Amino acid sequence: TLGSAGRFRCPSCRHEVVLDRHGIYGLQRNLLVENIIDIYKQASASGPDRPLLKTEHPTCEEHEDEKINIYCVTCGVPTCSLCKVFGEHKDCEVAPLSDIYMKQKTELTDGIGTLMAANDSIQAYVNALQGTCKNIEDNCKAQKQALCEKFDRMCAILEERRKIMLQRITYEQEAKTQHLKSLSKACSDHIDSSSKLVDTSLQSMEEPQMAVFVQNAKVLIRKISEMTQSCKLDPLELGYDNMEHYMVDFNAEERVLYQLDFIKVEEEPEPTAEEDGACGDAEDPLAD
């Protein structure tokens, strides 16, 4: 609408325009508006009864016969030219739909490329994680096997030492037992011989003939004397049956076994700034 003294605001830029003596013919041409008007005239001339195919260009919801051919930058939606001139987007900033199409297509293409590159990077990361998991499983399996072999070796050594030490005890046991059995047998044989001599002596005591008795008694007395003198019992050593000299003390070894652990790798301390400076000062004379 015209204001006072031929003034009005431009529907596109909203600047105030003053009509000169030429009137509306003195205004600058608006090619966008002229294009819109031409499209509107052609649409009106083609007739309202022409059917709209689904494959054709989409039309405006407000103006059913108008194709969507511009883009409202302010509202961020595609619209038609009539909406810009007479509709709700007349005060908005618009741009050709083809420009927005190319711009958004380029942005979408770049976004797809970026997303695919990101997916490739993520997939490579996942593959690396899976490879690391496989390496961890293989390395842990190898370390477990090595650890079991070490413990089996120590168990074998302990078992070997146990057999050796038990055998030493067994050897002394057998030696002392055999010695005692030998003594016991010797004593038993002596008792048997003494008993037979006693029986013989008792029978000779009943001999009525003195000459025969005297003759036999002399021999028996000698045998009894010899038997009595030969019966000397050697006493066993004090503590002969004591086996405490085979006692063991594995407390220190047990403490060592309880402290079995993996090798601790000490990290090398990083050089400080002062050390770096000192190294640099030391290298300067050599450089000179």
Side-chain angles (χ1 to χ4, degrees):
T1 58
L2 293 176
S4 60
R7 296 173 181 271
F8 67 97
R9 292 187 176 276
C10 176
S12 297
C13 63
R14 306 305 298 167
H15 289 292
E16 190 180 65
V17 179
V18 180
L19 294 177
D20 57 9
R21 58 186 179 85
H22 298 288
I24 60 174
Y25 299 101
L27 298 176
Q28 295 181 355
R29 295 181 60 184
N30 192 325
L31 298 179
L32 177 60
V33 175
E34 292 179 1
N35 186 27
I36 293 173
I37 294 174
D38 292 339
I39 294 173
Y40 182 73
K41 288 179 179 180
Q42 292 176 4
S44 300
S46 63
D49 297 332
R50 182 176 62 86
L52 180 64
L53 300 178
K54 292 183 178 180
T55 57
E56 292 183 357
H57 198 284
T59 59
C60 179
E61 295 180 356
E62 295 294 332
H63 309 90
E64 296 181 357
D65 295 334
E66 286 296 319
K67 295 180 180 180
I68 295 177
N69 54 5
I70 60 175
Y71 184 84
C72 180
V73 179
T74 303
C75 300
V77 294
T79 184
C80 71
S81 301
L82 292 180
C83 287
K84 170 58 182 172
V85 179
F86 307 107
E88 59 180 347
H89 299 289
K90 63 182 180 179
D91 296 331
C92 300
E93 179 184 356
V94 296
L97 187 62
S98 59
D99 295 347
I100 302 300
Y101 165 79
M102 294 303 299
K103 178 181 178 182
Q104 292 188 353
K105 190 171 184 179
T106 302
E107 292 178 356
L108 182 59
T109 302
D110 295 341
I112 292 173
T114 303
L115 183 59
M116 292 179 64
N119 289 340
D120 293 340
S121 177
I122 294 173
Q123 185 61 47
Y125 179 70
V126 171
N127 294 337
L129 292 179
Q130 294 176 350
T132 303
C133 289
K134 183 63 169 57
N135 293 337
I136 290 174
E137 293 178 358
D138 295 340
N139 293 336
C140 288
K141 182 179 180 181
Q143 292 301 328
K144 287 179 180 179
Q145 182 177 357
L147 182 63
C148 291
E149 291 176 355
K150 293 292 185 181
F151 272 95
D152 292 342
R153 175 59 180 164
M154 287 194 297
C155 291
I157 294 174
L158 291 174
E159 182 63 22
E160 183 179 359
R161 293 300 304 166
R162 185 180 71 87
K163 291 180 179 180
I164 292 174
M165 296 174 73
L166 287 176
Q167 191 64 40
R168 289 173 57 186
I169 298 176
T170 302
Y171 285 159
E172 184 166 346
Q173 176 186 355
E174 292 176 351
K176 288 187 175 182
T177 302
Q178 186 65 33
H179 176 65
L180 294 177
K181 287 181 179 180
S182 299
L183 292 178
S184 177
K185 186 177 184 305
C187 292
S188 297
D189 294 342
H190 183 80
I191 291 173
D192 292 340
S193 300
S194 298
S195 298
K196 291 179 181 180
L197 184 59
V198 170
D199 292 339
T200 303
S201 299
L202 290 175
Q203 291 177 3
S204 66
M205 293 289 290
E206 298 176 356
E207 177 62 42
Q209 297 295 329
M210 289 187 295
V212 176
F213 174 78
V214 171
Q215 185 179 359
N216 294 333
K218 184 177 180 180
V219 176
L220 293 174
I221 291 171
R222 181 177 56 79
K223 289 182 177 181
I224 290 174
S225 177
E226 291 175 356
M227 182 70 69
T228 302
Q229 291 177 1
S230 65
C231 183
K232 293 182 179 180
L233 301 177
D234 296 331
L236 297 175
E237 297 178 1
L238 184 63
Y240 187 77
D241 57 346
N242 188 358
M243 294 295 173
E244 292 182 355
H245 53 284
Y246 287 115
M247 292 180 62
V248 295
D249 181 10
F250 292 151
N251 291 331
E253 289 77 5
E254 289 178 1
R255 287 193 294 268
V256 173
L257 291 176
Y258 277 117
Q259 294 175 356
L260 290 178
D261 202 347
F262 299 102
I263 299 175
K264 295 181 179 180
V265 180
E266 297 182 357
E267 297 182 357
E268 297 182 359
E270 296 182 357
T272 60
E274 295 180 356
E275 293 177 352
D276 292 341
C279 293
D281 294 340
E283 291 176 355
D284 287 342
L286 296 177
D288 294 334

